[in-house]
């Protein structure tokens, strides 16, 4: 009985390893959830819009665009 549950667990892990990442999926809701950054206040984009500011990098090609009122307060120099 134990070996059957272990085998089932291994099969599930192997199948989950073949699932493509959320960013490349066709579902817009999943893509938006994975495209958030900076404590869910920013959105990962290639170019920020005019009212948004670049804060950090999401990965090597995307910028984290955050609205100015949600930017962190800079302290010290």
């Amino acid at each position: 009985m134990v070996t059957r549950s272990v085998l089932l667990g291994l099969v599930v892990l192997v199948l989950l390893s073949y699932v493509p990442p959320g960013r490349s999926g066709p579902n817009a809701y999943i893509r938006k959830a994975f495209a958030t950054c900076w404590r869910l206040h920013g959105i990962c984009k290639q170019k920020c819009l005019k009212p948004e500011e670049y804060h950090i990098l999401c990965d090597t090609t995307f910028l984290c665009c955050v609205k100015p009122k949600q930017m962190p307060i800079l302290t010290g120099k």
Side-chain angles (χ1 to χ4, degrees):
M1 195 57 130
V2 173
T3 58
R4 186 177 274 176
S5 62
V6 170
L7 182 63
L8 178 64
L10 288 173
V11 168
V12 168
L13 287 176
V14 168
L15 290 176
L16 286 175
S17 68
Y18 289 111
V19 174
R23 186 171 286 198
S24 65
N27 191 342
Y29 298 109
I30 293 173
R31 187 173 38 220
K32 183 166 177 139
F34 281 100
T36 58
C37 58
W38 186 245
R39 301 178 186 164
L40 301 174
H41 292 299
I43 298 175
C44 298
K45 300 179 184 178
Q46 288 185 340
K47 187 177 179 182
C48 295
L49 298 175
K50 203 164 201 170
E52 298 172 334
E53 295 180 14
Y54 152 74
H55 181 56
I56 56 174
L57 289 174
C58 291
D59 55 14
T60 57
T61 57
F62 292 99
L63 305 172
C64 181
C65 301
V66 183
K67 293 180 181 175
K69 68 177 185 175
Q70 296 175 337
M71 288 286 284
I73 298 170
L74 299 175
T75 59
K77 286 196 176 199

